[in-house]
Amino acid sequence: MRALVFDLEALTDLDYDVHRVVFNAAFAAHGVPIEWSAARYRRLMVLRDERQRVLAELRNHCVGPECDVLIELLADEICSTKAMMFDEMVLDVGASPRPGLDDLVGDAFAAGVPVAVVTSGRRAWAEPLVRQLVGEGQVETIVTGDDVATPAEAYRYALDELGVTTDRVVALTGTTAGLRTATAAGLATILVGQDSAPRDATAALAVRADYGGADPLRLTTCERLYARSTARRTAPAA
């Protein structure tokens, strides 16, 4: 294995541990009596856009014909407040690494396999958050939204920084959108943070709830999954 490339969502449950908490603070800042539980936020995640989730929740709580007149403006204000609060709160909300992550990163460090992290977030908070999640000196390069214009470019930039190609490199992502981006960049990719395989995850080497459990996702597992996928791609047709 020549390298591991994580996106930030593969390190921590960014939606539930961070975005949800900051949204609750934004609701409170506007005097809106809404507090999303993890279960409620999970149900709202069928709406891919943050603004749609806020609108759906506001409409669920509003009463009276005058409500819809102001609801879209309020949704915009809440989303704007959340964006401003995110940079201030992201390091203080108690984001935790996904179970078993430290073992996989430790395996890579011990084997001399470099680790990169890519994110669309700003370096000012992304870099300290990565250190908070995996420790000092464990990640060789961090590519942020300050470095590149698109998520796809982030993977190419990370590979260049590590001095490797896509050969014998595994990407790990915490979202199906990340899976699409990583595979489009030519990387064999493992999807984590999913209890079962989503319909749009057929390109993944494997789908895991986290890195721990009875069958932990360790460096040897990544190597085995990569070798198996390579064998399938090169096997002659019957």
Side-chain angles (χ1 to χ4, degrees):
M1 188 61 54
R2 298 179 65 198
L4 297 177
V5 183
F6 296 81
D7 67 12
L8 191 54
E9 289 81 359
L11 303 184
T12 186
D13 198 335
L14 204 63
D15 277 321
Y16 299 101
D17 289 350
V18 181
H19 287 290
R20 177 182 64 85
V21 175
V22 180
F23 260 121
N24 285 340
F27 287 134
H30 286 273
V32 177
I34 293 173
E35 183 171 351
W36 280 335
S37 65
R40 175 58 179 164
Y41 196 64
R42 193 174 299 277
R43 289 194 294 272
L44 288 167
M45 286 295 287
V46 297
L47 303 172
R48 296 295 180 93
D49 180 76
E50 287 186 341
R51 185 174 181 276
Q52 290 180 1
R53 293 172 208 151
V54 173
L55 276 171
E57 197 67 88
L58 291 175
R59 286 180 175 135
N60 189 47
H61 284 74
C62 278
V63 178
E66 73 283 355
C67 185
D68 249 11
V69 176
L70 300 174
I71 195 171
E72 298 227 6
L73 178 60
L74 179 57
D76 288 338
E77 291 176 350
I78 289 171
C79 289
S80 178
T81 298
K82 181 260 181 180
M84 289 187 293
M85 297 177 81
F86 185 88
D87 287 5
E88 300 170 1
M89 293 182 61
V90 62
L91 298 176
D92 300 320
V93 297
S96 57
R98 292 188 184 275
L101 173 67
D102 55 342
D103 290 327
L104 175 56
V105 174
D107 286 350
F109 185 80
V113 175
V115 170
V117 176
V118 299
T119 175
S120 59
R122 296 175 57 237
R123 183 170 295 276
W125 61 261
E127 198 166 77
L129 180 60
V130 170
R131 289 199 300 268
Q132 179 178 304
L133 292 167
V134 301
E136 295 281 354
Q138 302 278 12
V139 176
E140 186 159 322
T141 188
I142 301 172
V143 181
T144 73
D146 295 335
D147 303 311
V148 294
T150 67
E153 289 178 60
Y155 284 101
R156 291 191 289 270
Y157 192 104
L159 295 176
D160 287 344
E161 286 288 294
L162 296 176
V164 299
T165 65
T166 58
D167 182 50
R168 295 177 59 209
V169 174
V170 168
L172 299 107
T173 179
T175 67
T176 52
L179 173 64
R180 289 191 295 271
T181 301
T183 53
L187 287 163
T189 308
I190 297 171
L191 177 63
V192 298
Q194 307 288 327
D195 293 325
S196 59
R199 285 180 296 178
D200 51 353
T202 55
L205 293 183
V207 178
R208 297 294 188 94
D210 51 48
Y211 302 95
D215 181 22
L217 186 58
R218 305 292 293 263
L219 185 62
T220 53
T221 315
C222 294
E223 291 170 337
R224 185 172 68 251
L225 290 168
Y226 181 87
R228 186 184 302 163
S229 71
T230 302
R232 282 200 298 265
R233 289 197 303 270
T234 58

